Each structure stands twice: as structure tokens, then as C-alpha cells.
Amino acid sequence: MAEVDGKHLISYGAWRQALSQNKKTIAVGVLAVVFLGGLLLVSADYYPVALVNSSTIGARRFWRNFRAASVYHGNLQKVYGADEKPLDDKAIQAGVLQELIERELVSAGAKVEAGSDMDYLVGRKLTKYDKNSGLQQAAGVVYGLSYADFRSDVLIPQAEEDVLAGRLYLRGEKLEDWLQDARRRASVVIFARGFAWDGEKVVLR
């Protein structure tokens, strides 16, 4: 029995020694995996650009909306020419960030107001939009978006805003007043370089 125990002790000791010798290798391996995973997330635009209360705004969504806004402003200039003041990329990006932050606030507010009816109310509005072939064409021509992206980035937020505005109207309140208060109360952290939140809006820094 003692001999067996001795063998077990030797085996366990050897295992501990091998583990100790390989700790650095294991640590380096883990760090390498984390680093490569981070690189993949960054290269695929999956990193967050802002945090709104407990919701994140991802880089992929931000850049897609920025490209759409750029296409839209470019089309305005083609139509109105000198009457439409050109905007630089930073100004457009700030506007897009502001819009995305407000959409998060409106979405959260609509869910609170509508409760379990939220999915039904939004779905009913989307059904109308999906039947409109003109919208599908406009998504590509005006914004340079596929209809799927236009639906998620424009139509769903608009439907949520309509739901919230309707609930507020029934209480004699205005969406503009609600949103102003929501912006002031919100916890917003912007990770995108060159931008900051001043308590109510996105500003350049």
C-alpha cells in the first residue's frame, strides 16, 4: 500500500513539475489567442464605439450608417447643388453617433411603454413597409443600403419611435420633450476617437 501511495506521490509531483515548467508557455498561448481574437474583432468592425446605458453601439453598425449618411448627403448636393452646404466626414460621423444614441434611448423607452405589445406593434408597421416596393428601391438609390440593412437601421427604429410617440401622445406628452429628458439622464460613454458626450449631445474634441 505504501509503495502504491509512493508511486502516486511521484506521479503527482512529476505532474506538478511539468505544469510549473509549462505555465509560461500556457500563459503566452492564452495571450496569443486573446490578441488574435481581438484583432479579428477589430478587423471585422465588431468592437463598440459607444455605450448607452447598458446597450452597445457596434462599429459595424456605425460605419454602415456613416456610409449611408454620406451617400444621402451626396445625393442632396447633386439635387440642390450650392444650396446644400457640404459636410465633412467628422460632422457626418458626429451626426450619425448622435442619431444612433437617440435610437437606443427611443428603443428602450418604447419597450418600457409598450411592454409585451412591442413586437406586435413594430411588426405591424414593418408589414406595411415591406409591401412598399418604392421603399426597397429608395434604400439603394438614396442611401446605398440593401433593403435588409435599411430595414434594420431605418425602418425598425422609425417604427419604435412611432410606438413611443403614440404612447406619449395618449398621456399628453411630446416625444421631443421625452427625448431631451432621456438624453440628460442617460449614461453615455463614447469610445470612438475624436468624439465626446457633453451630457446632451455628441461633440467633437
Side-chain angles (χ1 to χ4, degrees), residues 69-85 142:
S70 298
V71 170
Y72 175 76
H73 283 291
N75 286 328
L76 284 182
Q77 281 200 290
K78 290 177 183 177
V79 173
Y80 297 106
D83 293 334
E84 182 65 25
K85 184 180 178 181
V142 180

Side-chain angles (χ1 to χ4, degrees), residues 87-148:
L87 296 175
D88 61 29
D89 285 354
K90 276 291 186 182
I92 296 176
Q93 289 170 10
V96 168
L97 263 178
Q98 181 76 26
E99 181 70 20
L100 292 176
I101 289 168
E102 291 181 0
R103 285 179 190 173
E104 289 297 324
L105 296 174
V106 167
S107 180
K111 288 171 184 174
V112 170
E113 292 292 332
S116 59
D117 293 333
M118 180 70 172
D119 290 342
Y120 167 74
L121 294 171
V122 170
R124 191 171 63 176
K125 290 179 179 294
L126 290 176
T127 299
K128 291 181 181 179
Y129 296 147
D130 290 341
K131 292 178 180 178
N132 189 332
S133 59
L135 273 179
Q136 298 187 28
Q137 185 177 2
V141 174
V142 180
Y143 295 96
L145 290 172
S146 68
Y147 184 68

Side-chain angles (χ1 to χ4, degrees), residues 21-36:
Q21 289 173 347
N22 287 300
K23 273 185 178 179
K24 289 184 179 180
T25 303
I26 293 171
V28 170
V30 170
L31 287 174
V33 169
V34 171
F35 178 71
L36 289 174

Side-chain angles (χ1 to χ4, degrees), residues 3-79:
E3 183 180 354
V4 173
D5 287 343
K7 288 181 180 179
H8 278 236
L9 287 173
I10 291 171
S11 177
Y12 177 66
W15 177 81
R16 289 192 61 182
Q17 184 178 5
L19 181 62
S20 177
Q21 289 173 347
N22 287 300
K23 273 185 178 179
K24 289 184 179 180
T25 303
I26 293 171
V28 170
V30 170
L31 287 174
V33 169
V34 171
F35 178 71
L36 289 174
L39 282 180
L40 287 173
L41 289 176
V42 170
S43 62
D45 289 340
Y46 284 121
Y47 57 93
V49 295
L51 181 66
V52 184
N53 294 327
S54 59
S55 300
T56 58
I57 296 173
R60 174 164 288 198
R61 181 181 169 202
F62 168 72
W63 289 116
R64 185 172 64 237
N65 277 263
F66 166 65
R67 287 190 293 269
S70 298
V71 170
Y72 175 76
H73 283 291
N75 286 328
L76 284 182
Q77 281 200 290
K78 290 177 183 177
V79 173

